[in-house]
Amino acid sequence: MKTGFLRLLVVPTVVGVFVLTAGAAKAQISLNYDDLSSFEEPLAFEIGQATVLVGGVIDVPVKLTVDDSIFHGDVDVSLVTNLDISIEMQLANRWNVGVSYFGQYDENRNDYEDNVAGFVRTSWGSLIGGNVDGLVREATRRRRAVGNSNLAFDDFYGRINRWGGGYSGRFGPAILTGIADADGNFELGGQFQRPIGRRDYRFSARVAKARYLAPDGVTDFETLGAAIVGEFVYGSSLFDLGFGYENLQAGPIDLNRWYISGGTQTKIGVLSLSAAGHYGELDGTSEASASLGMRYDIARGLSTNLGVNARKAQIARDGISVVNEDETSATASLRYSF
């Protein structure tokens, strides 16, 4: 299966994003691309003419890892914190200008990562520049699961560069987002969401031209992918399903990948539960993952979280390891979000 039909899909999508900008309204910008996120509304206050929004998470996880179905004593206790800040002010012409910042520290990895972006928001939509590589993914992905659940492989392998620029705008019940980097890679996506009767429906689509660096650190694949997601909400329960296709090319290597992911989550009083599964094939070899999550709300912003996650995909072609993942883990944590 070649990439011709994907290119036919990409071209009209690119045109559609920019033709429809004439009717756009503002769309929210978030630089948190991690699965650890606050479920509380951010704190808001004013400094002079600027409005500041602040949110964050403090998490203390205990992680037990099992490799090859044999427990070998890997237990990690660490501290993870993140901070999300947005500063925005309105100009005399009623344009809003601002900057968003997200930072996360992981004690286990002894690593601090951050994203920053500036934006200009008008009645026609928002122009954005900075570390915006995850914006389209966040706008079109399946809903984040609860607790410490994290479903592996539920995305394209390919990624665009961290630095880039693009546009995001709302058109009634629809939001369109397009991002491009300096190397000519891009992601385009849209979502449509509205209630019908007592039920809420959301549909999203995403296409991406990107790159994927294999585990050997040398082989660099060009990728082209397309994915769709459908979501259904009734009462306190949510059900969603996603399909994706991706083509990977590096020299004479030409691989095709497809996958399907689905899950459900519900809330019963102070208890939230989620379950999800994934199956796909890369050039005929399978990849699979599953996750279970639970969150128990103790007080405003304070919760106990559990998660069990499993993933397996060991695929090599022409002597090159394309993906090498095989892990099962259980994580419990005490979390405070604001």
Side-chain angles (χ1 to χ4, degrees):
M1 187 175 185
K2 301 299 182 181
T3 61
F5 85 96
L6 277 178
R7 299 186 188 281
L8 291 176
L9 175 63
V10 167
V11 172
T13 305
V14 174
V15 175
V17 167
F18 293 99
V19 169
L20 289 173
T21 57
K26 67 180 181 179
Q28 188 173 352
I29 298 170
S30 173
L31 301 182
N32 182 1
Y33 311 139
D34 190 81
D35 283 309
L36 181 62
S37 61
S38 174
F39 57 88
E40 296 289 335
E41 291 295 327
L43 303 175
F45 56 92
E46 293 185 354
I47 299 179
Q49 300 298 315
T51 299
V52 182
L53 300 176
V54 180
V57 173
I58 301 172
D59 192 57
V60 183
V62 180
K63 182 178 180 181
L64 167 67
T65 303
V66 178
D67 289 329
D68 299 326
S69 301
I70 301 175
F71 170 57
H72 55 79
D74 278 352
V75 178
D76 296 319
V77 181
S78 61
L79 172 69
V80 180
T81 64
N82 66 36
L83 182 65
D84 206 336
I85 302 176
S86 178
I87 303 174
E88 184 173 342
M89 65 182 299
Q90 189 173 79
L91 304 180
N93 61 0
R94 303 188 68 83
W95 287 11
N96 290 332
V97 296
V99 61
S100 293
Y101 177 84
F102 172 80
Q104 183 178 77
Y105 172 72
D106 189 331
E107 182 186 33
N108 189 46
R109 300 197 310 260
N110 192 26
D111 182 50
Y112 183 81
E113 298 179 349
D114 58 1
N115 297 316
V116 63
F119 58 88
V120 177
R121 177 180 291 142
T122 74
S123 59
W124 300 84
S126 300
L127 295 176
I128 316 159
N131 303 133
V132 293
D133 54 303
L135 283 184
V136 180
R137 154 74 170 161
E138 290 303 314
T140 58
R141 63 176 290 172
R142 291 178 50 254
R143 189 77 61 91
R144 277 187 173 99
V146 303
N148 290 307
S149 177
N150 183 12
L151 187 67
F153 309 131
D154 186 21
D155 192 7
F156 304 141
Y157 286 169
R159 296 285 190 275
I160 63 174
N161 291 339
R162 291 186 67 231
W163 291 94
Y167 167 88
S168 181
R170 176 182 289 276
F171 310 83
I175 297 177
L176 297 180
T177 307
I179 299 296
D181 64 23
D183 295 329
N185 300 313
F186 62 84
E187 291 199 10
L188 299 171
Q191 70 160 326
F192 176 90
Q193 182 175 9
R194 68 178 304 168
I196 300 177
R198 298 181 179 180
R199 299 169 177 83
D200 186 80
Y201 298 89
R202 182 175 74 96
F203 302 96
S204 68
R206 172 180 168 224
V207 294
K209 178 181 178 294
R211 307 193 74 86
Y212 170 64
L213 184 63
D216 62 8
V218 177
T219 308
D220 192 16
F221 289 91
E222 294 184 354
T223 69
L224 191 63
I228 58 175
V229 170
E231 177 184 285
F232 165 73
V233 179
Y234 181 73
S236 299
S237 297
L238 177 149
F239 308 88
D240 57 18
L241 190 65
F243 302 88
Y245 167 82
E246 188 173 21
N247 177 262
L248 297 86
Q249 295 185 355
I253 304 176
D254 189 341
L255 307 176
N256 292 297
R257 172 184 180 238
W258 66 266
Y259 65 85
I260 179 173
S261 301
T264 182
Q265 50 186 280
T266 189
K267 185 173 178 61
I268 307 170
V270 296
L271 182 66
S272 299
L273 303 169
S274 69
H278 169 99
Y279 180 82
E281 292 186 0
L282 176 61
D283 199 36
T285 304
S286 66
E287 61 179 38
S289 64
S291 67
L292 298 172
M294 184 192 79
R295 183 181 72 236
Y296 182 85
D297 300 327
I298 300 172
R300 179 177 174 84
L302 184 64
S303 63
T304 299
N305 297 266
L306 300 174
V308 178
N309 303 293
R311 60 189 181 191
K312 185 171 184 178
Q314 295 177 310
I315 304 170
R317 291 294 182 274
D318 296 344
I320 297 172
S321 175
V322 181
V323 58
N324 185 16
E325 300 281 351
D326 187 0
E327 180 183 279
T328 300
S329 65
T331 305
S333 69
L334 183 66
R335 182 176 305 165
Y336 177 71
S337 62
F338 61 91

